[in-house]
Amino acid sequence: MVLSTGGLFDDMNVLGVIGYVLEQTRFIFLVPILKRLVNLCQVISLLLFIDAAYMAIVVAIVKVLGLTPKKVLKWESFNSDDVELAPSSNHPMVLIQIPIYNEKEVCQLSIGAVCKLSWPSDRMIVQVLDDSTDEDSQKMVRLECKKWASEGVNIKSEVRDSRDGFKAGALTAGMKHSYVEGCEFVVIFDADFQPEPDFLERTVPFLVHNSEIALVQAGWKYVNANECIMTRIQEMSLNYHFAVEQKSGSSMHQFFGFNGTAGVWRISDLNEAGGWRDRTIVEDMDLAVRAHLSGRKFVFVDDVKVKNELPSSFRAYRYQQHRWSCGPANLFKKMAMEIIQSQRVSVWKKAYLIYNFFFLRKIIVHIFTFVFYCLLLPATVIFPEIEVPKWTTIYIPATITILNAIATPKSFYLILYWILFENVMAMHRSKGTLIGLLETSRVKEWVVTQKLGVRENLIPRYSFPERLRWREITVGMYLFICGYYDFVFGKTYLYVYLFLQSIAFFVVGVGYIGMSVEPDSS
């Protein structure tokens, strides 16, 4: 009996060819591409570090020298000692706008706080812009406005026929009423914001005594920061935004964005800049950029903070972050040439606006964080030919993270959770950024961030099957596989990070993050 080995040899030859092709693909194609991408990420990492260090140095100098807005700018109280003057004679006329859309849980808090502002009632108009479609919300707003009107507050409830233009449309419509003509300044408070009674007394004087200033932006503080670990992490990120990003921009008279609420605008400057526009979902930033290009200045008053609520469900937070990442990217695409061609601001200010504010902080940082720390860095364990220096993976990220965390000292111990969760959110922010740049179908998606108002004994409720998020689970599996490969075959301890990061993706992927609440009807 003769055995034929031809088929066996043919199979071995085919496997050998396949192995050779894969090996050549690895060395000729994959490794060079990955090396170039890693090198690019190293450059970006260095640029982000320089930007973070610059802002931190500016804030440190301002703090050491005690250069508060009151010391640098003119500021005088409206409370005159002259008994012959009427109480309201030196107070300018102020319009306060409260845009509301199906926010019955918090609208009473905001309206009530605004109506309690210590400002002469004849020098203040409270304008409630109610776009609600929910009957309970509409009724609650009407009753609240009627209640305060009966107590002598000059309050107007304005309802539109449609929700065209979303928040920008509501604010624009509000400015068209005849009673607004006598107002010098306009203040915007979102429906969950609750200003202290002295808010106007502490902010409006900056505008009255400094004609070059168009906007006074106040800080935020959070009524539910301690509700869950997700709100604690949000507090850390937002505190850094205000304490470092906003403060450094204000101190150097560079651009910083209007946060859409808790700010006071000079109406003449708002109109000169072109008013509210709804071409993107960040109408607040759009207006601020145009006002900056017209030569106006902004000031951030960090010692005035307005209470508000952080989104406590992951769904609400994800929608908010989509708007905050998609909108700026889309606005940059629409305004880049307008910024470059502007004649009223210096080349340095235009460069700062395009490079520092938009390119680095609103576009590159999101994509870089996800691509490098969640995709490329894990891949390097499978390709040992690619070496990533420690300054890229440890020193620079650690320094930037510490600079972020020190803005909230009480939560410093959560720094590891913050890193891992921010990397997960970078995936959603990258998606939003690309949607904004490419102007795909969700570029104008506007979902009002769900707020829940005052709650007692709220506990998380988890319904496992409905809360699975396959994108997070898929990335978590990729990170786990890379971590396991590094644990078995690698010579580094990168698997420690990869396992932790994969757990973070899995936790979000199965819905065990934030508070479980009923879906928002909007």
Side-chain angles (χ1 to χ4, degrees), residues 172-184:
T172 300
M175 297 294 291
K176 293 179 180 179
H177 293 280
S178 58
Y179 57 79
V180 175
E181 294 178 1
C183 297
E184 294 181 58

Side-chain angles (χ1 to χ4, degrees), residues 382-413:
I382 304 174
F383 296 88
E385 304 91 339
I386 303 173
E387 294 185 8
V388 184
K390 288 184 178 180
W391 63 265
T392 306
T393 58
I394 300 176
Y395 304 137
I396 283 183
T399 303
I400 294 177
T401 300
I402 291 171
L403 290 175
N404 276 262
I406 58 176
T408 313
K410 69 174 184 177
S411 299
F412 194 81
Y413 70 95

Side-chain angles (χ1 to χ4, degrees), residues 80-91:
S80 175
D81 295 329
D82 191 342
V83 295
E84 295 182 0
L85 291 175
S88 62
S89 62
N90 56 349
H91 287 71

Side-chain angles (χ1 to χ4, degrees), residues 191-227:
D192 61 307
F193 276 70
Q194 306 161 51
E196 297 295 333
D198 62 352
F199 177 87
L200 295 178
E201 295 283 357
R202 299 175 67 184
T203 55
V204 174
F206 286 106
L207 292 163
V208 171
H209 301 297
N210 301 273
S211 59
E212 73 280 7
I213 293 177
L215 164 70
V216 177
Q217 173 70 60
W220 298 358
K221 58 182 177 181
Y222 316 99
V223 297
N224 65 329
N226 297 325
E227 189 167 64

Side-chain angles (χ1 to χ4, degrees), residues 34-79:
L34 286 175
K35 279 185 176 180
R36 287 181 173 83
L37 289 174
V38 168
N39 290 338
L40 176 61
C41 285
Q42 290 179 44
V43 173
I44 294 173
S45 181
L46 185 60
L47 295 177
L48 290 172
F49 170 75
I50 292 172
D51 186 52
Y54 159 76
M55 290 189 292
I57 291 170
V58 170
V59 171
I61 292 173
V62 169
K63 189 173 183 63
V64 170
L65 298 180
L67 301 176
T68 63
K70 279 189 180 181
K71 288 186 178 181
V72 176
L73 300 167
K74 295 178 182 178
W75 190 94
E76 293 181 16
S77 174
F78 292 118
N79 296 318

Side-chain angles (χ1 to χ4, degrees), residues 223-280:
V223 297
N224 65 329
N226 297 325
E227 189 167 64
C228 60
I229 194 170
M230 192 182 79
T231 54
R232 293 286 296 276
I233 292 172
Q234 289 180 67
E235 181 189 34
M236 294 172 70
S237 298
L238 288 169
N239 281 351
Y240 175 79
H241 166 70
F242 284 106
V244 178
E245 293 179 345
Q246 299 288 76
K247 191 170 183 178
S248 62
S250 175
S251 300
M252 295 297 291
H253 301 295
Q254 295 291 357
F255 177 81
F256 68 88
F258 172 44
N259 295 110
T261 179
V264 189
W265 278 93
R266 189 189 306 275
I267 292 180
S268 59
D269 290 334
L270 187 154
N271 292 333
E272 183 184 348
W276 300 101
R277 294 180 185 174
D278 62 355
R279 56 181 172 176
T280 70

Side-chain angles (χ1 to χ4, degrees), residues 138-350:
Q138 293 173 347
K139 182 179 179 180
M140 189 172 291
V141 170
R142 287 196 303 269
L143 290 175
E144 192 68 12
C145 291
K146 185 177 180 180
K147 166 192 167 184
W148 288 104
S150 67
E151 296 186 18
V153 177
N154 188 359
I155 186 169
K156 312 286 186 181
S157 177
E158 304 294 353
V159 179
R160 296 192 295 162
D161 295 331
S162 69
R163 201 185 167 215
D164 293 343
F166 304 115
K167 183 178 176 181
L171 295 171
T172 300
M175 297 294 291
K176 293 179 180 179
H177 293 280
S178 58
Y179 57 79
V180 175
E181 294 178 1
C183 297
E184 294 181 58
F185 308 109
V186 58
V187 192
I188 297 98
F189 290 114
D190 283 348
D192 61 307
F193 276 70
Q194 306 161 51
E196 297 295 333
D198 62 352
F199 177 87
L200 295 178
E201 295 283 357
R202 299 175 67 184
T203 55
V204 174
F206 286 106
L207 292 163
V208 171
H209 301 297
N210 301 273
S211 59
E212 73 280 7
I213 293 177
L215 164 70
V216 177
Q217 173 70 60
W220 298 358
K221 58 182 177 181
Y222 316 99
V223 297
N224 65 329
N226 297 325
E227 189 167 64
C228 60
I229 194 170
M230 192 182 79
T231 54
R232 293 286 296 276
I233 292 172
Q234 289 180 67
E235 181 189 34
M236 294 172 70
S237 298
L238 288 169
N239 281 351
Y240 175 79
H241 166 70
F242 284 106
V244 178
E245 293 179 345
Q246 299 288 76
K247 191 170 183 178
S248 62
S250 175
S251 300
M252 295 297 291
H253 301 295
Q254 295 291 357
F255 177 81
F256 68 88
F258 172 44
N259 295 110
T261 179
V264 189
W265 278 93
R266 189 189 306 275
I267 292 180
S268 59
D269 290 334
L270 187 154
N271 292 333
E272 183 184 348
W276 300 101
R277 294 180 185 174
D278 62 355
R279 56 181 172 176
T280 70
I281 52 177
V282 283
E283 73 295 319
D284 45 10
M285 188 179 294
D286 188 344
L287 173 61
V289 171
R290 285 182 278 113
H292 179 72
L293 294 179
S294 67
R296 312 310 293 168
K297 295 180 180 179
F298 310 151
V299 61
F300 170 61
V301 186
D302 58 348
D303 62 340
V304 179
K305 291 181 171 61
V306 182
K307 291 188 295 184
N308 66 97
E309 181 183 329
L310 294 165
S312 55
S313 73
F314 184 74
R315 180 179 183 274
Y317 183 55
R318 183 164 51 87
Y319 277 125
Q320 181 198 70
Q321 293 302 299
H322 167 79
R323 189 168 74 250
W324 288 5
S325 55
C326 174
N330 189 233
L331 180 63
F332 175 68
K333 178 179 180 179
K334 293 179 181 298
M335 290 200 70
M337 287 307 300
E338 185 178 341
I339 295 170
I340 293 172
Q341 295 171 358
S342 175
Q343 301 295 319
R344 300 186 64 176
V345 293
S346 66
V347 173
W348 165 247
K349 287 184 179 293
K350 288 190 285 187

Side-chain angles (χ1 to χ4, degrees), residues 430-456:
S430 297
K431 180 183 176 184
T433 300
L434 293 176
I435 288 173
L437 290 174
L438 301 176
E439 291 194 291
T440 59
S441 59
R442 290 186 61 196
V443 72
K444 294 295 289 289
E445 180 183 75
W446 179 284
V447 178
V448 173
T449 305
Q450 183 184 21
K451 304 294 173 63
L452 303 176
V454 179
R455 293 152 291 178
E456 296 181 358

